[in-house]
Amino acid sequence: MSSEIINDKERTNNIRMIKLIAVIFMSLLISGMKAENASEKTWIIVIDAGHGGKDPGAVGKISREKNINLAIALKTGEYLEQNVENVSVLYTRKTDEFMELRDRPEFANKNNADLFISIHSNWISKSTIKGSETWIMGPAQNDQNLEVAMKENEVILLEDDFSTKYEGFDPKSPESYIMFTVMQNTFRQQSTLLASTIQSQLKNRAGRIDRGVKQAGFWVLYMTTMPSVLVETGFITNPDEEKYLVSKEGQDYIASAIYRAIRDYINEIDKKTNISTSKEKEQVSTPDSSVSDRVPVVDELRYMIQIATSAVKKSLTPDNFKGFKDVVELSSQNLFRYATGSFSSYQQAAEYRNKIEAIYPDAFVIAVKNNKIVPLQDALNSK
Ligand SMILES: [Zn+2]
């Protein structure tokens, strides 16, 4: 009897031990899986519904801009959360509340957002005009563009003590907008890519008239420290478009178009990042990158690291580029691009980019031939 009890006890102990081992094994497995997931980037997307509360935004015959913006913003976020795995969506407002203009970009900066998307609806005196446009930060190239930015910045006037809060910036004075002509928009290229993806989705998915990607001095885009766009979904001054903008169907289509564009943008950038990581893993036997073959740009294909863009020409002194001495200028589409390093292989360029990431977090590898930027994918395929 006693030996049976001992056997039973032993058996119980053995079972406990097996269970314990199983638990330890499972938890190791799970922690391993977690570590793997953690390496996949989570994209923090801030969606900003323009206006709100005492600021109605543009006022149409049957609608107020603030309500349209909020409905589309919430729906866009919902689509993103439902359909894209690695996103975290944050909203500057989720209800009909007033928010100071400067708090919107600050919210995105504070949360280390990867993208900032401000959603608006347009106003113009001519009721025949309709269509969608997406804006990026930059100096306005004509009076109409300046007017759109002025209109969207005007809300500042509803705030107390706006002159102090906005460093003397007066949304109604054209002189105030001169500061935007000298600024450097580090995220111009990414913002343009996102903006043009949104425009093509709005056109193809939602059947909107494509009024293009435009630039002007919007305060919300000026203050953000990540790729940022402002979408003017349509004109509430056009009776047909206003009807579309207030309808559930119209809001669904517009939100769906914006969501798809963000999804495609994320995939595009993730794909580029994956190219660099997978190549780096293969890199075990290649020599130290410090003996990289840095030579001036010649007519053969080279990989360089773009560190800055500017609408105005800059002199190539190290002071202008955080001490970098080998900066070259490449111009394309009214824009001066500045790049450093020059490598014959993508791998070396990617490694160098990682090295300077702390100094230029937004730097990325570009392919250059005959002093012209060529599509990276084409360059990689050509080898
Ligand atoms: Zn607006």
Side-chain angles (χ1 to χ4, degrees), residues 8 11 31 36 50 64 117 180 201 221 226 235 276 303 345 381:
D8 272 355
R11 206 174 298 133
S31 68
E36 196 141 309
R64 294 171 153 223
I117 293 110
F180 299 129
Q201 282 288 349
L221 302 182
M226 74 276 323
F235 286 86
S276 78
Y303 294 95
S345 83
N381 290 342

Side-chain angles (χ1 to χ4, degrees), residues 50-51 57-58 65 69 119-122 151-152 230 232:
H51 313 280
E65 185 195 343
N69 300 345
I119 293 175
H120 289 257
S121 314
N122 229 332
K151 195 129 194 64
E152 296 294 9
L230 186 147
E232 293 283 6

Side-chain angles (χ1 to χ4, degrees), residues 276-334:
S276 78
T277 41
S278 65
K279 297 258 173 171
E280 274 156 25
K281 276 177 197 154
E282 290 163 18
Q283 260 245 157
V284 192
S285 60
T286 42
D288 180 9
S289 69
S290 60
V291 284
S292 69
D293 48 348
R294 288 223 225 149
V295 293
V297 188
V298 283
D299 52 7
E300 61 180 290
L301 179 67
R302 309 292 296 174
Y303 294 95
M304 305 187 75
I305 294 87
Q306 181 174 317
I307 51 173
T309 56
S310 173
V312 288
K313 200 179 174 75
K314 289 179 151 204
S315 96
L316 297 174
T317 56
D319 278 357
N320 280 341
F321 299 98
K322 302 183 182 175
F324 282 83
K325 294 187 183 91
D326 61 345
V327 176
V328 297
E329 182 191 87
L330 304 151
S331 60
S332 70
Q333 295 160 358
N334 307 325

Side-chain angles (χ1 to χ4, degrees), residues 207-260:
R208 302 292 86 202
I209 289 170
D210 179 9
R211 291 174 54 87
V213 174
K214 301 178 175 191
Q215 63 172 45
F218 293 85
W219 187 269
V220 288
L221 302 182
Y222 175 56
M223 292 307 285
T224 48
T225 53
M226 74 276 323
S228 306
V229 298
L230 186 147
V231 188
E232 293 283 6
T233 53
F235 286 86
I236 69 174
T237 36
N238 176 282
D240 290 340
E241 204 148 68
E242 185 181 26
K243 262 183 230 154
Y244 182 82
L245 290 171
V246 294
S247 73
K248 190 188 167 293
E249 196 199 358
Q251 292 170 353
D252 278 345
Y253 269 104
I254 290 173
S256 163
I258 299 171
Y259 134 70
R260 279 158 187 263

Side-chain angles (χ1 to χ4, degrees), residues 30-261:
I30 290 165
S31 68
M33 278 157 57
K34 268 186 191 156
E36 196 141 309
N37 284 341
S39 67
E40 191 184 311
K41 177 183 166 66
T42 296
W43 285 75
I44 301 168
I45 316 286
V46 167
I47 302 181
D48 172 47
H51 313 280
K54 67 179 174 186
D55 167 27
V59 177
K61 284 209 170 72
I62 53 166
S63 67
R64 294 171 153 223
E65 185 195 343
K66 63 174 185 176
N67 301 323
I68 294 169
N69 300 345
L70 183 61
I72 294 172
L74 294 175
K75 210 158 259 179
T76 304
E78 209 179 290
Y79 285 141
L80 274 169
E81 273 170 340
Q82 280 167 1
N83 300 302
V84 186
E85 258 178 33
N86 54 332
V87 295
S88 160
V89 179
L90 303 172
Y91 302 89
T92 51
R93 69 178 177 101
K94 289 179 97 171
T95 56
D96 181 18
E97 60 182 316
F98 180 74
M99 208 181 163
E100 291 194 353
L101 199 62
R102 62 180 183 154
D103 289 342
R104 298 169 189 266
E106 230 173 77
F107 175 81
N109 295 347
K110 203 177 63 201
N111 284 291
N112 287 319
D114 296 292
L115 292 177
F116 176 83
I117 293 110
S118 190
I119 293 175
H120 289 257
S121 314
N122 229 332
W123 188 98
I124 200 160
S125 53
K126 228 180 181 175
S127 68
T128 48
I129 292 175
K130 58 177 175 176
S132 308
E133 42 200 45
T134 302
W135 294 80
I136 64 162
M137 183 61 216
Q141 276 141 342
N142 57 50
D143 286 350
Q144 284 112 308
N145 289 4
L146 180 63
E147 262 170 48
V148 177
M150 281 180 156
K151 195 129 194 64
E152 296 294 9
N153 291 331
E154 224 177 73
V155 57
I156 290 174
L157 304 175
L158 294 178
E159 299 175 21
D160 304 324
D161 200 19
F162 76 86
S163 182
T164 324
K165 284 187 209 156
Y166 293 88
E167 300 150 20
F169 176 75
D170 177 355
K172 286 196 138 173
S173 138
E175 285 73 40
S176 273
Y177 288 78
I178 290 168
M179 70 187 210
F180 299 129
T181 61
V182 293
M183 70 154 304
Q184 184 192 334
N185 182 358
T186 322
F187 303 100
R188 189 187 170 92
Q189 180 145 329
Q190 287 97 318
S191 303
T192 308
L193 173 63
L194 177 60
S196 56
T197 315
I198 289 175
Q199 277 307 114
S200 70
Q201 282 288 349
L202 283 169
K203 183 182 166 203
N204 299 323
R205 175 84 188 151
R208 302 292 86 202
I209 289 170
D210 179 9
R211 291 174 54 87
V213 174
K214 301 178 175 191
Q215 63 172 45
F218 293 85
W219 187 269
V220 288
L221 302 182
Y222 175 56
M223 292 307 285
T224 48
T225 53
M226 74 276 323
S228 306
V229 298
L230 186 147
V231 188
E232 293 283 6
T233 53
F235 286 86
I236 69 174
T237 36
N238 176 282
D240 290 340
E241 204 148 68
E242 185 181 26
K243 262 183 230 154
Y244 182 82
L245 290 171
V246 294
S247 73
K248 190 188 167 293
E249 196 199 358
Q251 292 170 353
D252 278 345
Y253 269 104
I254 290 173
S256 163
I258 299 171
Y259 134 70
R260 279 158 187 263

